[in-house]
Amino acid sequence: MQIEGILGPIEEQEARIKNPLVLAYIGDSIYDIYVRTALVKKSRQQVNALNQRASGTVNARAQAQAAAILEEEMLTDEEKDILRRGRNAHPGTVAKNMSVADYKKATGLEALVGYLFLSGKYARLEEIMQRVLQEFGV
């Protein structure tokens, strides 16, 4: 896959030095678009049902679970480092109804997704998101 223009990649080094919360900021959207796209492609459900299914995968608890599975099964040392940097960042706020630990792990996963997207590692991003989608039956 090749993406050009505003959605095109930046230099890997530039992506690596971005603040992990900035990586998580974009990673949150990319993660969400993967989940929603997979649901739309695999289902004929109406929007409300699609949204309910998406919210079961796009939340801090589910993302924390996905981060743990990925870290154990398939992440490289570099990817674990990005995930760790995101997890250790101090966002200043925590989502309601979520534990701080889950929120931090989710932020780590979002940072990794953001890093992979920004640096143009689309094939690797696809592998990781396929594993996440598989885990949650999406």
Side-chain angles (χ1 to χ4, degrees), residues 43-91:
S43 174
R44 293 178 180 241
Q45 294 177 313
Q46 297 297 317
V47 171
N48 288 340
L50 289 169
N51 196 48
Q52 284 181 341
R53 288 205 52 211
S55 67
T57 307
V58 182
N59 67 64
R61 190 172 296 111
Q63 288 175 319
Q65 181 182 344
I69 290 165
L70 292 170
E71 195 167 18
E72 183 178 309
E73 289 183 7
M74 66 185 296
L75 296 185
T76 66
D77 288 341
E78 176 189 24
E79 291 164 347
K80 288 178 183 178
D81 184 56
I82 300 284
L83 187 122
R84 196 173 310 111
R85 284 181 50 219
R87 186 176 55 221
N88 292 336
H90 300 286

Side-chain angles (χ1 to χ4, degrees), residues 2-101:
Q2 186 65 23
I3 298 177
E4 301 289 330
I6 196 76
L7 294 178
I10 62 176
E11 292 294 321
E12 186 176 341
Q13 182 60 27
E14 185 180 348
R16 188 177 290 116
I17 63 171
K18 293 265 186 213
N19 181 304
L21 294 177
V22 170
L23 295 175
Y25 173 76
I26 192 69
D28 176 55
S29 295
I30 300 303
Y31 187 94
D32 188 61
I33 198 81
Y34 261 91
V35 171
R36 289 174 185 263
T37 301
L39 288 171
V40 166
K41 286 183 172 183
K42 293 181 179 182
S43 174
R44 293 178 180 241
Q45 294 177 313
Q46 297 297 317
V47 171
N48 288 340
L50 289 169
N51 196 48
Q52 284 181 341
R53 288 205 52 211
S55 67
T57 307
V58 182
N59 67 64
R61 190 172 296 111
Q63 288 175 319
Q65 181 182 344
I69 290 165
L70 292 170
E71 195 167 18
E72 183 178 309
E73 289 183 7
M74 66 185 296
L75 296 185
T76 66
D77 288 341
E78 176 189 24
E79 291 164 347
K80 288 178 183 178
D81 184 56
I82 300 284
L83 187 122
R84 196 173 310 111
R85 284 181 50 219
R87 186 176 55 221
N88 292 336
H90 300 286
T93 61
V94 177
K96 293 186 284 184
N97 305 320
M98 297 293 165
S99 76
V100 173

